[in-house]
Amino acid sequence: MLVRLSKWGNSLGLRLPKSLAQQIGVVAGQTVSVTGEGDRLIVRAAPGRWTLEDMLVGMTPKAMSEAFEWGRDQGREEVGG
């Protein structure tokens, strides 16, 4: 597939045909990773951003106590669950 580069300020812009954008899973406004290897230009969909809610799915006090070795209780604190 041939596409034409366009001047965009001091840079060059590359327009992706809709079929190619769909093939690699990118949409307008999305951030992509662009790298060069020799004479190749590689455009990849950038990984999505994680939210705190996504990272804590399935995290319970029991799971936390199993994930970390807190040691024995010292004084009056309660470390275990």
Side-chain angles (χ1 to χ4, degrees):
M1 175 178 306
L2 297 176
V3 296
R4 184 180 308 266
L5 297 175
S6 302
K7 185 122 172 92
W8 193 354
N10 290 327
S11 302
L12 295 176
L14 176 68
R15 294 178 65 157
L16 300 178
K18 182 178 180 180
S19 61
L20 183 57
Q22 289 175 334
Q23 178 182 335
I24 66 171
V26 295
V27 295
Q30 181 178 347
T31 300
V32 296
S33 167
V34 180
T35 55
E37 291 181 9
D39 64 347
R40 295 179 184 198
L41 176 66
I42 301 167
V43 180
R44 292 186 177 105
R49 294 184 66 170
W50 288 86
T51 65
L52 181 59
E53 184 177 337
D54 292 336
M55 291 186 278
L56 294 178
V57 168
M59 189 53 55
T60 63
K62 183 176 187 307
M64 286 293 292
S65 67
E66 292 172 357
F68 299 99
E69 174 54 51
W70 298 104
R72 295 177 53 114
D73 292 349
Q74 304 287 322
R76 297 186 322 191
E77 79 271 21
E78 293 182 22
V79 178

